[in-house]
Amino acid sequence: MEQHQYIGRPLGRWELDGFYPSVSVIVLNYREPEMTSECLRSIISLRYAGKIEVIVLDNGSGDGSFERLRVEAGKSPLPVRVLATDQNLGFTGGVLTAWPHATGELICLLNNDATFHPDCLARLVDGFRRRADLGAVWPFDAPHTWSEGLQVPDPAKVALMRNGTHSVVGGNIWLPLMSDYKECFTPSGVCLLLQRSTDVPFPGEYFAYYEDVYFGWRLRLRGLKAERVLEAIIYHEGSRTGRLDLGLRQALGFHAEKNRLANLILFYAGSTLLRILPLLLLDEAKKLVMVIASITPGRGGAAKLARHIQARLWLLRHAAWIRSRRKQVQAERRVADHEILQLMSGRLTMLENTGGRFVNFLSLSYCRLARLQTVEFRRTAAARE
């Protein structure tokens, strides 16, 4: 397999001199002050030799969360700033609101339904240190139930685990496809450590979901990559806010679809978009069939169909914004698509039923014919060598 020579990022003084840098941890809250307080307490409990500041942003909760979090912040030995917005700006809008207040040399984005192992931040920094090929690092995502007793995985077993990725049409493919658990196409926004910059990591228009894919894909185009640090552990409950708020969950479904499609338009070169168009059409047909099949009483199929249509209409209504953003992103390109495709999957679904296997047979067959060298074919080539 052809290896790309990563351009690299400039090393910080903290890397050259060997000390631990200052870190700004950004945490968002939406109507979950108890959960956010637990997250804050895990930050306070970190064993970290550098300075830590915390920025908590209440994302338009309107339920007294702001006041309760200010009381919690007052108990902290660390500097904690609690900010508030008048409305829910989503994950992207909340991070962008907090971003200018961060003064640390590094910024850590942490979901409020996750908590740190006490050594997590130090291990993340160590994983980032002097790795000029990295643009971001993220930790091992352990179940929240492991937080009791600070359980950690067996390092030997984790090192042998394979990792999931994203399909060429942008969706999650949580199958053991990548060569090891450290490797990833893009990092996870659940916990993400990156350098502070005036260049924000993602656009506010995304609201939530696939903004981490935007960030990671942009790193790849610039000649940088993201990596999981296996020694760093967080405990993550997962999608807590969306599960408890039906209206928000439905809105997030809309944003997930339009953001997934926007990423394809923004990041692929024009020639690659043409080559994956048959796969995109196949995926659109698959999704439409599944949505229509769910239009039965009690399954919310009509609402899913509405969101499906609205996500695509959003792209049409924001065509000017997409053109402008695409021009900016493509101007940063240092890496060709064929190198990035080697980290993506040619599968369109994780379903292992008859329909899922048939769709994946079609999609992988097309990838072979079109010479789209996805991770499946990278593994085949590696096995032959």
Side-chain angles (χ1 to χ4, degrees):
M1 183 183 71
E2 179 182 349
Q3 294 292 327
H4 173 69
Q5 294 297 317
Y6 283 92
I7 295 167
R9 60 176 176 86
L11 296 178
R13 188 169 62 87
W14 61 273
E15 297 174 274
L16 299 174
D17 294 347
F19 60 85
Y20 284 93
S22 58
V23 179
S24 300
V25 183
I26 295 177
V27 180
L28 308 185
N29 174 76
Y30 181 70
R31 298 182 178 177
E32 288 287 350
E34 295 86 0
M35 185 169 64
T36 304
S37 295
E38 181 185 0
C39 177
L40 179 57
R41 288 190 289 271
S42 80
I43 300 171
I44 294 169
S45 299
L46 284 167
R47 294 188 283 257
Y48 184 70
K51 293 182 179 179
I52 300 174
E53 68 172 6
V54 187
I55 302 166
V56 178
L57 183 129
D58 181 58
N59 218 348
S61 296
D63 64 348
S65 288
F66 174 67
E67 291 76 14
R68 294 171 68 179
L69 290 170
R70 288 192 66 183
V71 171
E72 189 68 32
K75 305 174 186 176
S76 170
L78 298 177
V80 179
R81 178 177 296 187
V82 182
L83 309 174
T85 59
D86 293 332
Q87 58 180 327
N88 188 347
L89 303 177
F91 181 76
T92 60
V95 168
L96 298 187
T97 300
W99 191 268
H101 299 274
T103 62
E105 294 167 273
L106 298 178
I107 292 181
C108 181
L109 307 182
L110 180 66
N111 278 15
N112 68 330
D113 61 354
T115 57
F116 281 126
H117 183 280
D119 296 321
C120 181
L121 185 57
R123 300 291 79 79
L124 283 175
V125 171
D126 288 340
F128 207 2
R129 190 186 300 277
R130 289 186 172 274
R131 289 288 306 277
D133 59 331
L134 294 183
V137 291
W138 56 302
F140 181 92
D141 191 335
H144 190 264
T145 53
W146 286 20
S147 62
E148 186 174 349
L150 300 177
Q151 183 177 347
V152 299
D154 182 337
K157 292 181 179 179
V158 172
L160 295 174
M161 290 173 64
R162 293 186 180 274
N163 196 12
T165 183
H166 289 79
S167 75
V168 292
V169 295
N172 292 309
I173 302 292
W174 290 314
L175 296 172
L177 297 174
M178 305 291 273
S179 61
D180 63 62
Y181 204 56
K182 293 170 62 177
E183 188 177 26
C184 57
F185 167 52
T186 66
S188 168
V190 173
C191 181
L192 178 63
L193 186 70
L194 62 154
Q195 286 184 309
R196 183 167 64 88
S197 168
T198 54
D199 185 16
V200 294
F202 33 66
E205 286 83 356
Y206 271 44
F207 192 83
Y209 287 163
Y210 289 98
E211 78 291 329
D212 45 5
V213 178
Y214 174 99
F215 172 67
W217 207 332
R218 195 174 178 192
L219 285 180
R220 291 284 178 184
L221 285 191
R222 291 171 166 178
L224 292 168
K225 57 183 178 178
E227 190 171 277
R228 192 192 313 252
V229 178
L230 302 182
E231 300 80 11
I233 312 294
I234 59 166
Y235 306 104
H236 180 217
E237 183 168 345
S239 304
R240 167 74 175 267
T241 302
R243 288 203 310 268
L244 298 179
D245 188 324
L246 176 60
L248 179 59
R249 184 165 71 246
Q250 292 175 342
L252 291 175
F254 156 74
H255 287 292
E257 268 298 275
K258 56 96 169 167
N259 294 347
R260 178 185 66 84
L261 293 169
N263 281 337
L264 305 180
I265 300 170
L266 294 177
F267 289 105
Y268 279 132
S271 58
T272 309
L273 274 173
L274 288 174
R275 292 171 71 196
I276 71 161
L277 183 59
L279 291 178
L280 187 57
L281 293 174
L282 176 61
D283 187 61
E284 287 291 289
K286 177 205 72 174
K287 288 181 181 295
L288 189 58
V289 167
M290 292 176 68
V291 169
I292 292 175
S294 69
I295 303 179
T296 56
R299 296 186 63 185
K304 291 178 184 178
L305 179 60
R307 292 195 298 273
H308 182 88
I309 296 170
Q310 289 165 3
R312 287 143 183 84
L313 291 176
W314 186 95
L315 298 174
L316 294 175
R317 292 197 303 269
H318 292 79
W321 177 82
I322 290 174
R323 282 196 301 270
S324 175
R325 180 66 61 159
R326 174 179 166 81
K327 183 177 180 181
Q328 174 190 348
V329 166
Q330 293 298 323
E332 300 172 346
R333 178 186 287 275
R334 300 294 182 271
V335 177
D337 281 347
H338 72 87
E339 297 183 45
I340 297 172
L341 283 168
Q342 294 176 10
L343 299 166
M344 304 174 79
S345 173
R347 289 169 166 82
L348 299 185
T349 179
M350 293 181 287
L351 294 176
E352 292 295 334
N353 56 23
T354 302
R357 289 196 297 270
F358 180 66
V359 166
N360 283 337
F361 169 77
L362 293 178
S363 63
L364 290 170
S365 297
Y366 175 79
C367 286
R368 189 182 296 276
L369 289 172
R371 296 188 177 183
L372 295 169
Q373 295 297 312
T374 59
V375 66
E376 291 86 1
F377 303 105
R378 188 185 81 172
R379 289 177 61 196
T380 301
R384 290 198 299 263
E385 291 177 358

